[in-house]
Amino acid sequence: MGTGWVILIAVIALLAGAALGFFIARKYMMSYLEKNPPINEQMLRTLMMQMGQKPSQKKINQMMRAMSNQNKK
């Protein structure tokens, strides 16, 4: 019966560690992406120019705001 308890405790500890690690990693990545967004205004302007659009500051601000709102959800 002693070996059964050791295996049970090991499995429970493994599951708890995996769950805790997942939530810590998720929180870290969310804060990292909030501080360092994957796209900035210059990248967006270049992307729009490559697609053949004339990027106005109003369009760029609108798209940045839309991406920011989508990230907050």
Side-chain angles (χ1 to χ4, degrees):
M1 190 67 170
T3 307
W5 283 107
V6 170
I7 293 173
L8 180 65
I9 290 172
V11 169
I12 291 172
L14 181 66
L15 292 175
L20 187 63
F22 170 77
F23 287 112
I24 289 172
R26 182 177 182 273
K27 182 168 174 45
Y28 172 77
M29 284 304 297
M30 294 298 276
S31 67
Y32 177 80
L33 288 175
E34 189 174 310
K35 292 176 187 172
N36 303 312
I39 190 164
N40 58 19
E41 288 185 21
Q42 184 61 35
M43 294 170 89
L44 192 59
R45 181 170 288 142
T46 304
L47 182 67
M48 289 177 73
M49 288 173 67
Q50 287 176 350
M51 291 190 308
Q53 296 181 7
K54 175 104 173 110
S56 67
Q57 189 62 37
K58 182 180 177 183
K59 271 187 183 178
I60 291 174
N61 290 342
Q62 182 181 16
M63 290 180 75
M64 289 296 290
R65 191 169 38 255
M67 285 191 297
S68 176
N69 288 340
Q70 185 177 9
N71 287 341
K72 289 182 182 179
K73 287 183 180 178

